[in-house]
Every structure is written in structure tokens, then in C-alpha cells.
Amino acid sequence: MTISEDLDPKDLVPKDLVLADPAAVDDVLLPGFERRRVTTEDGAILALVGGSGPPLLMLHGDPQTHLCWHRMAPRLARQFTVVLTDLRGRGESHKPARSDDHRAYSKRAMAAEQAAVMDRLGFDRFALVGHDRGARVARRLALDHPDRVTRLAVMDIVPALDFYERADAAIAQDYFYFFFLTQPYPAPERLIAGDPAHFMGRILTGLTAKEVSYDPLALDAYLQAATREDAIAAMCECFRAGISLDLEHDRQDRAAGRRIACPTLVFWGEEGVVGRHFDISAIWRGWAETVAFAPLSCGHFIPEEAPEAATGQLLTFLQDR
């Protein structure tokens, strides 16, 4: 992991910065977007809706919230009705309790919930973009609900099956939390609780060769949201589902020859650990019928490291007839 040994991630947040009301932060970083609480079968999901035009659902990664899109969403909202949600277990959305089978945090369950959110908002079919954990949910949504997704863009991931099949010592070193967070309850929860801001900060600062220029309001919101006890528990459960149920679902898809049917665009950061460790184009050609690739000169946190380049490529892809 690329991180200065002298850097305490908590020091990234200005000492005099006090977390503002979440709605006020949204007003600053996502002006013109309307906050909505969308009730699903299992709980309430926070959604921000802005713009006009064809619907576009955007799903954030870990340990972040809908705010990760603040440098891209306003531009996209000029041509699309943009929906930004907090995934279950994250941000202001509901956080299902831990279970022995981790089913509530399988990407299948999370994807079905996001499809239900779009139903509640009146969108039958929509384009879909996801980064990190959100990209895993987006990929599953496109596989399980192919009639709902018109186009899919994923940022800086490989599917769970490919990740764990190809894992070696170097990958385990760079992506240590893919193995740490999957450990049985309560080991990771208790260890993270000793200094949650440092743990979450390591993820936010350690997946790129360069320092990420986070907006201070956004960074503080990420740390405030991710370091809550229930959010830590949800994150652990999500990774436990990743190495169990998500793997099994991927194996079933591969055995059945099931692939993503809609046009797919795959982004990755050439300076990030995914780009260094995986043959991304080869992997994704095995999962998508029609796929294009967009490597960018950045690390893992594409929406905040390379927002202009990513937005330009995304607009071209979404408008391609």
C-alpha cells in the first residue's frame, strides 16, 4: 500500500473542521440535487436526484458515500436525471444487522435493493455507473436484472471470483483488507474500533501513487460515516459476503455462461493496485458481451482523482448510439 509511514490519515482532516449538517454538505457539493428517503422492503435508502433527461444511477465505493460523485454528477446532470444513493450499510442508508450467512450484504441483495429504489423513483430502465464496492453492486445488477440496465460503467474493480482466484502475496499486501475484513466476527470489528479513523484513512489514502486531493467536506463526511460502529459492522459483513455468497454467485454465472448483455465500459487507474495486478481487459472480456476500456492516469479513486477525464469518457459512452 502506498502511504507515508509518518502520515496519520486523521491529519488529513483540518482540526477546526466540524461536520456540517449532511443536507448542508449536499447543498455545497451537489447544488440543485434533491434529497429523498426511499423506502424499500428492508429499510430506507438515501437518494439524491438532480438534472433531467434519461435516468443514470451512480453507486459509490468504500469507505465513501454518494458524495464521491460531487466532481462528476453536476456535469452529468445537464444531460441526465442523475440518481446518487448511499448503499445499504453506508452513509445515511439503513444498515442490516449481522447474520451467519451474510446474505443481507451479498451484492445480489444490494443490487435488488438499488433496482427497487429506481422503481420507487419511477425509472424502469436506466444507465448504471459504479465505483469500487458500488461497481460490484452495479455488475451484479446488470447480470441479475438485464432488462433494467441500458448501459453499464464500472470503475477500478475485477469481479470477486477473478480477484480471489488470482490473489497472491503481492495482492494480499496491497489489498490487505480484502482478507482482514472477512475474518469471523468479532475480530475485525474490535480491532478497527481501536482507531477507526486511521483504518478508514489508510484505505482512502493507500490505493494510489499520489495524494488524492479530497474536498475537505467530503473527506470529513466519509470518515464520520465510515467510523460509526454500525457502519464498521456493515463493511465487515459486506466483505464476508464477498468471499462467500458473491463468489458462489459468480461461479454459478460462469458455469452457466451468463454474461453482461448491455454495452459495458471498464475504467481503471493505471497508477492503482488493480491496474498493476490484473489483466483487466482479459478478465472483463470474459464477463461482458460488448465491452470497451478506459484506463486513466490516476489511482483507485477515479471520481475524485480524474473527474474530468472520467466524465468525458462516460458522456461519450452513454451518448453513443
Side-chain angles (χ1 to χ4, degrees):
M1 244 180 150
T2 304
I3 185 170
S4 169
E5 293 299 326
D6 299 324
L7 175 63
D8 185 337
K10 289 182 291 187
D11 292 339
L12 295 173
V13 183
K15 302 300 184 187
D16 59 349
L17 183 62
V18 177
L19 183 66
D21 175 76
V25 175
D26 286 335
D27 286 343
V28 172
L29 297 181
L30 292 163
F33 279 73
E34 177 187 356
R35 289 169 58 91
R36 302 189 188 181
R37 303 290 295 182
V38 181
T39 301
T40 70
E41 182 177 339
D42 294 327
I45 295 291
L46 176 70
L48 272 71
V49 183
S52 60
L56 171 63
L57 174 61
M58 305 184 76
L59 305 178
H60 67 87
D62 276 331
Q64 298 184 296
T65 71
H66 65 277
L67 288 171
C68 84
W69 302 111
H70 73 95
R71 291 174 176 163
M72 295 181 63
R75 172 66 184 87
L76 294 166
R78 298 176 194 173
Q79 294 169 257
F80 297 90
T81 300
V82 177
V83 179
L84 313 175
T85 63
D86 283 347
L87 296 170
R88 65 164 56 179
R90 276 71 170 175
E92 297 176 62
S93 290
H94 73 108
K95 298 169 178 64
R98 179 181 62 85
S99 66
D100 290 339
D101 62 7
H102 323 301
R103 191 167 301 277
Y105 289 96
S106 72
K107 305 314 154 293
R108 174 157 289 165
M110 295 172 76
E113 183 167 66
Q114 291 298 315
V117 168
M118 294 302 277
D119 277 335
R120 305 292 196 278
L121 294 174
F123 302 121
D124 182 51
R125 286 169 56 79
F126 48 89
L128 180 58
V129 181
H131 171 250
D132 185 82
R133 190 68 24 178
R136 299 185 183 283
V137 177
R139 168 184 170 270
R140 178 48 57 190
L141 204 164
L143 283 166
D144 287 359
H145 307 272
D147 57 323
R148 304 294 305 277
V149 181
T150 59
R151 286 179 179 260
L152 170 69
V154 295
M155 293 186 176
D156 215 58
I157 67 156
V158 295
L161 182 58
D162 300 275
F163 181 92
Y164 285 112
E165 281 185 341
R166 291 165 169 78
D168 57 18
I171 292 171
Q173 182 72 6
D174 280 348
Y175 265 131
F176 75 95
Y177 54 91
F178 269 77
F179 305 89
F180 168 64
L181 292 171
T182 61
Q183 298 304 303
Y185 172 84
E189 288 92 337
R190 288 185 178 178
L191 292 169
I192 294 169
D195 194 346
H198 182 82
F199 178 81
M200 299 302 173
R202 283 189 68 88
I203 299 175
L204 287 164
T205 60
L207 297 175
T208 180
K210 302 173 184 176
E211 183 176 328
V212 182
S213 180
Y214 291 111
D215 182 280
L217 278 175
L219 178 60
D220 195 47
Y222 302 152
L223 292 174
Q224 292 282 349
T227 54
R228 291 173 36 151
E229 183 178 354
D230 55 357
I232 293 169
M235 189 174 182
C236 293
E237 281 292 281
C238 195
F239 276 81
R240 291 176 184 131
I243 204 170
S244 57
L245 287 171
D246 295 347
L247 274 180
E248 181 56 31
H249 295 156
D250 279 2
R251 291 190 184 104
Q252 293 170 1
D253 287 336
R254 181 178 287 176
R258 192 175 297 114
R259 285 149 59 90
I260 296 167
C262 67
T264 301
L265 177 63
V266 178
F267 291 91
W268 71 91
E270 294 179 305
E271 300 166 11
V273 296
V274 171
R276 292 202 308 271
H277 289 301
F278 297 96
D279 186 343
I280 297 173
S281 58
I283 288 171
W284 278 99
R285 285 191 180 100
W287 284 106
E289 298 287 350
T290 305
V291 60
F293 302 101
L296 298 174
S297 298
C298 65
H300 174 68
F301 292 95
I302 291 171
E304 285 157 302
E305 292 186 64
E308 292 184 7
T311 301
Q313 297 245 27
L314 187 57
L315 281 170
T316 298
F317 170 69
L318 293 174
Q319 295 169 337
D320 182 13
R321 296 295 181 265

